[in-house]
């Protein structure tokens, strides 16, 4: 008589539900522990008669002095707790610059200009074409007017003109959205990595809108594509010490003076990826803004690896052999970005991950480090901590690498890929175009958590966690208003030019 085969539990048992049960058990351990305790107490009370309960109550003697002292202690501890608690910082609203159609650079236009500008370097033209084919950019990205000339005219006047165009347009839209008046701005922070004129860009904003003489203004330069979150961190710190205040942040990158006209391949990459863009953000610590604010800032973690020489030089502004200035992107950039991300998520993980994921990570670490077990490093499931991801649209390789390392689905990185396709790499403002994409798709609900991740020269990895205050209606204007219905689009691995 043949023995019946053992059932294949791996296929018969829904392992997904086993994991869900484990997560629920660990994350709600205290609640599940309290339920039987409360049930026992309730049963005991039901067994006692009314007279027994009354006798127990009468046996308790309350001294008026003890009651007053206890009440004072409770009030004192509560006051100290609420006074020492950090002020809640809100993101009231934001605005993204939408370039005019006249600034568009379709692939054919870009390559034609490259052939004319680099007519003595056909290999450099061919290299740019290969990069553009695999870049993930679409046909509607934009460059400033000065770059459309042949040859480009990267003068100081043209650079200032671009700065005024992108910054003032975003600011005007922010004023219109929020009803904020220029004279009501308490703190102004402008970040632009590569263009740092005198007077500064923050001074340019103050002059344009005639802001107050006692405004606290800051101008951040040279801090790369992650400077937008550095500005948010600075605004948060300032709002902790200045009650009943607001802060306006402007994140941008001015392309005009940074177009590279040489032949070094590592320095030609930024020409293919960077495009014009800007974002203006209003933050506040006022309780009155709580009801109209879109998001609440929960966490902000900054990781800096500048002490390591490889990290420091991986994104480096320098002159080539012909004396032409450009940004040199190292071939080790992705590996360095991976190390910076690892350090960042190690810090932010305990702040945002549910207990079930932290426990699994701890057990994995103990098994590998203490017992020398040949286990794979357990990668926590960040999808349990966040509903939305905004990964800096620095390039296709950046998004691919983060999707792989964080085990994200295509939908989780959709906002990043579509932003890169429609607007290109807009540097520090790209995170806000991505957030606007999610809102424009009608996906942002009250209580949703958003993780913004950005990388920058130096080398830095910064991340911010926001919680949605209210279900956000699909915006009728903004940078995605005329094209959101046709997104997402399919982006092939290679677009043959």
């Amino acid at each position: 008589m043949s023995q019946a085969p053992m059932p294949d539990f791996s296929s018969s048992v829904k392992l997904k539900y086993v994991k869900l049960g484990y997560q629920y058990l660990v994350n709600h351990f205290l609640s599940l522990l309290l339920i039987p305790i409360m049930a026992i107490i309730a049963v005991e009370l039901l067994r006692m008669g009314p007279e027994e309960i009354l006798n127990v109550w009468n046996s308790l003697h309350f001294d008026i002095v003890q009651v007053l002292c206890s009440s004072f202690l409770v009030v004192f501890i509560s006051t100290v707790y609420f006074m020492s608690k950090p002020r809640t910082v809100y993101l009231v609203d934001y605005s993204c610059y939408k370039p005019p159609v006249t600034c568009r650079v379709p692939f054919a236009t870009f390559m034609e200009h490259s052939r004319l500008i680099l007519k003595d370097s056909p290999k450099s033209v061919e290299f740019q074409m290969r990069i553009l084919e695999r870049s993930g950019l679409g046909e509607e990205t934009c460059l400033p007017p000065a770059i459309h000339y042949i040859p480009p005219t990267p003068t100081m006047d043209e650079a200032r003109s671009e700065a005024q165009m992108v910054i003032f347009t975003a600011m005007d839209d922010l004023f219109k959205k929020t009803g904020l008046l220029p004279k009501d701005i308490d703190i102004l922070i402008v970040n632009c990595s590569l263009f740092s004129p005198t007077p500064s860009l923050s001074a340019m904003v103050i002059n344009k809108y005639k802001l107050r003489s006692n405004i606290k203004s800051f101008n951040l330069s040279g801090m790369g594509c992650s400077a937008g979150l550095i500005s948010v961190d600075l605004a948060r710190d300032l709002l902790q010490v200045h009650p009943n205040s607001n802060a306006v942040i402007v994140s941008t990158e001015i392309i005009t003076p940074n177009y590279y006209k040489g032949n070094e391949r590592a320095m030609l990459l930024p020409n293919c990826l960077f495009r014009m863009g800007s974002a203006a953000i209003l933050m506040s610590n006022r309780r009155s803004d709580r009801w109209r604010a879109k998001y609440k800032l929960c966490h902000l973690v900054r990781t800096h690896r500048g002490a390591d020489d490889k990290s420091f030089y991986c994104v480096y502004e320098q002159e080539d052999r012909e004396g032409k200035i450009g940004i040199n992107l190292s071939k080790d950039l992705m590996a360095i970005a991976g190390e910076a991300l690892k350090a960042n998520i190690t810090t932010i993980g305990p702040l945002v991950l549910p207990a079930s994921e932290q426990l699994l990570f701890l057990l994995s670490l103990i098994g590998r480090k203490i017992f020398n077990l040949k286990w794979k490093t357990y990668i926590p499931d960040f999808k349990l901590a966040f509903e939305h991801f905004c990964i800096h649209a620095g390039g296709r390789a950046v998004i691919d690498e983060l999707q792989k390392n964080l085990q994200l689905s295509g939908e989780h990185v959709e906002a990043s890929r579509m932003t890169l396709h429609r607007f290109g790499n807009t540097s520090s403002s790209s995170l806000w175009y991505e957030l606007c994409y999610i809102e424009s798709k009608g996906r942002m609900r009250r209580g949703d958590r958003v993780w913004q991740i950005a990388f920058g020269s130096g080398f830095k990895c910064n991340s911010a966690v926001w919680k949605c205050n209210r279900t956000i209606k699909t915006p009728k204007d903004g940078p995605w208003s005329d094209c959101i219905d046709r997104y997402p689009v399919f982006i092939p691995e290679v677009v043959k030019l």
Side-chain angles (χ1 to χ4, degrees):
M1 184 177 179
S2 61
Q3 189 177 3
M6 289 291 290
D8 185 0
F9 289 105
S10 63
S11 60
S12 62
V13 177
K14 297 287 187 182
L15 294 179
K16 181 180 77 171
Y17 297 110
V18 174
K19 186 177 180 182
L20 287 173
Y22 159 76
Q23 291 166 357
Y24 189 86
L25 177 64
V26 174
N27 296 336
H28 300 85
F29 179 74
L30 288 177
S31 300
L32 295 173
L33 187 66
L34 285 173
I35 289 171
I37 294 173
M38 296 299 294
I40 292 169
I41 293 172
V43 169
E44 288 298 321
L45 286 174
L46 289 172
R47 285 180 178 177
M48 296 172 65
E51 292 182 0
E52 289 178 289
I53 296 173
L54 188 62
N55 289 334
V56 171
W57 176 259
N58 292 331
S59 66
L60 299 174
H61 297 286
F62 296 101
D63 185 83
I64 188 65
V65 177
Q66 291 177 343
V67 171
L68 288 174
C69 288
S70 300
S71 302
F72 174 77
L73 186 62
V74 170
V75 171
F76 177 76
I77 293 172
S78 302
T79 304
V80 170
Y81 171 76
F82 286 109
M83 290 289 287
S84 60
K85 191 178 179 182
R87 288 189 176 91
T88 304
V89 174
Y90 300 102
L91 191 161
V92 179
D93 211 335
Y94 64 96
S95 175
C96 296
Y97 170 74
K98 183 180 179 181
V101 178
T102 52
C103 291
R104 281 178 54 188
V105 277
F107 292 158
T109 303
F110 185 91
M111 292 313 305
E112 182 186 6
H113 283 213
S114 293
R115 291 187 187 96
L116 292 171
I117 295 167
L118 301 170
K119 57 186 176 182
D120 299 325
S121 305
K123 288 186 177 180
S124 295
V125 175
E126 185 182 345
F127 172 75
Q128 283 191 308
M129 184 172 71
R130 289 202 306 271
I131 293 298
L132 202 61
E133 286 176 339
R134 295 163 175 80
S135 65
L137 272 68
E139 298 276 6
E140 297 180 84
T141 62
C142 296
L143 284 171
I147 308 300
H148 286 258
Y149 292 108
I150 303 175
T153 57
T155 63
M156 180 62 78
D157 283 345
E158 289 287 356
R160 286 187 191 276
S161 177
E162 181 194 347
Q164 291 168 359
M165 183 194 310
V166 299
I167 292 175
F168 295 164
T169 305
M171 289 281 289
D172 289 343
D173 191 40
L174 183 70
F175 290 143
K176 182 181 176 182
K177 277 184 175 181
T178 61
L180 181 72
L181 298 175
K183 65 182 179 65
D184 294 331
I185 299 175
D186 302 305
I187 300 164
L188 174 67
I189 303 169
V190 179
N191 70 263
C192 178
S193 187
L194 295 174
F195 181 55
S196 183
T198 299
S200 66
L201 294 176
S202 60
M204 182 186 78
V205 174
I206 291 170
N207 176 260
K208 162 70 176 177
Y209 294 103
K210 311 303 177 189
L211 304 185
R212 300 197 317 256
S213 60
N214 65 341
I215 191 170
K216 298 166 185 66
S217 67
F218 301 86
N219 197 92
L220 307 182
S221 64
M223 305 195 82
C225 301
S226 66
L229 295 186
I230 295 173
S231 298
V232 171
D233 190 29
L234 176 58
R236 179 188 64 172
D237 290 345
L238 290 167
L239 290 172
Q240 290 303 318
V241 296
H242 296 287
N244 200 37
S245 300
N246 61 48
V248 170
I249 298 170
V250 178
S251 291
T252 188
E253 193 59 73
I254 305 306
I255 307 297
T256 297
N258 303 300
Y259 186 84
Y260 176 64
K261 293 183 285 184
N263 298 308
E264 292 289 336
R265 292 189 175 185
M267 300 168 79
L268 283 167
L269 275 168
N271 287 359
C272 301
L273 298 175
F274 281 87
R275 297 293 185 264
M276 64 191 301
S278 179
I281 304 101
L282 174 61
M283 296 177 65
S284 173
N285 62 12
R286 294 171 179 167
R287 290 184 180 179
S288 58
D289 286 330
R290 174 183 177 183
W291 308 109
R292 67 170 183 147
K294 284 186 172 182
Y295 302 94
K296 178 178 74 173
L297 181 61
C298 300
H299 305 288
L300 201 147
V301 173
R302 293 170 55 183
T303 306
H304 205 306
R305 297 183 57 83
D308 175 67
D309 287 346
K310 255 189 172 182
S311 299
F312 178 76
Y313 288 106
C314 73
V315 181
Y316 200 74
E317 186 176 19
Q318 64 184 74
E319 294 173 329
D320 65 9
R321 285 170 290 187
E322 298 175 358
K324 296 174 181 177
I325 297 175
I327 305 297
N328 191 324
L329 300 181
S330 167
K331 61 182 180 181
D332 300 320
L333 178 58
M334 291 313 303
I336 291 165
E339 288 298 317
L341 174 67
K342 183 179 176 182
N344 192 273
I345 64 176
T346 302
T347 306
I348 202 171
L351 300 175
V352 298
L353 286 170
S356 58
E357 290 300 298
Q358 295 192 48
L359 182 60
L360 286 174
F361 179 77
L362 179 63
L363 292 174
S364 169
L365 190 66
I366 292 171
R368 290 173 60 250
K369 299 293 184 182
I370 298 177
F371 298 105
N372 293 320
L373 298 175
K374 294 181 179 179
W375 291 352
K376 289 183 179 179
T377 304
Y378 180 74
I379 300 173
D381 188 357
F382 280 92
K383 298 187 290 294
L384 297 172
F386 305 105
E387 284 75 32
H388 308 286
F389 296 80
C390 294
I391 299 167
H392 167 53
R396 189 175 204 154
V398 175
I399 301 170
D400 288 345
E401 195 67 21
L402 263 74
Q403 181 179 4
K404 178 183 173 183
N405 288 340
L406 297 176
Q407 299 177 350
L408 303 178
S409 67
E411 187 176 347
H412 287 124
V413 296
E414 182 184 311
S416 302
R417 291 195 190 282
M418 297 308 111
T419 296
L420 181 66
H421 181 270
R422 174 62 182 84
F423 297 101
N425 180 352
T426 59
S427 189
S428 58
S429 64
S430 68
L431 296 174
W432 305 105
Y433 286 90
E434 294 167 24
L435 191 62
C436 188
Y437 177 88
I438 297 169
E439 292 181 4
S440 299
K441 279 292 181 184
R443 297 174 183 171
M444 194 64 70
R445 299 284 183 268
R446 181 181 179 181
D448 282 3
R449 296 153 299 178
V450 187
W451 187 14
Q452 292 182 319
I453 314 169
F455 298 93
S457 57
F459 191 82
K460 301 179 285 290
C461 176
N462 301 325
S463 56
V465 178
W466 304 90
K467 188 173 183 179
C468 185
N469 266 358
R470 53 185 170 83
T471 298
I472 296 173
K473 296 178 181 177
T474 304
K476 295 180 181 178
D477 53 4
W480 294 96
S481 58
D482 64 341
C483 62
I484 193 64
D485 292 337
R486 54 186 168 89
Y487 277 93
V489 297
F490 172 71
I491 304 173
E493 289 294 323
V494 179
V495 179
K496 282 297 179 183
L497 300 181

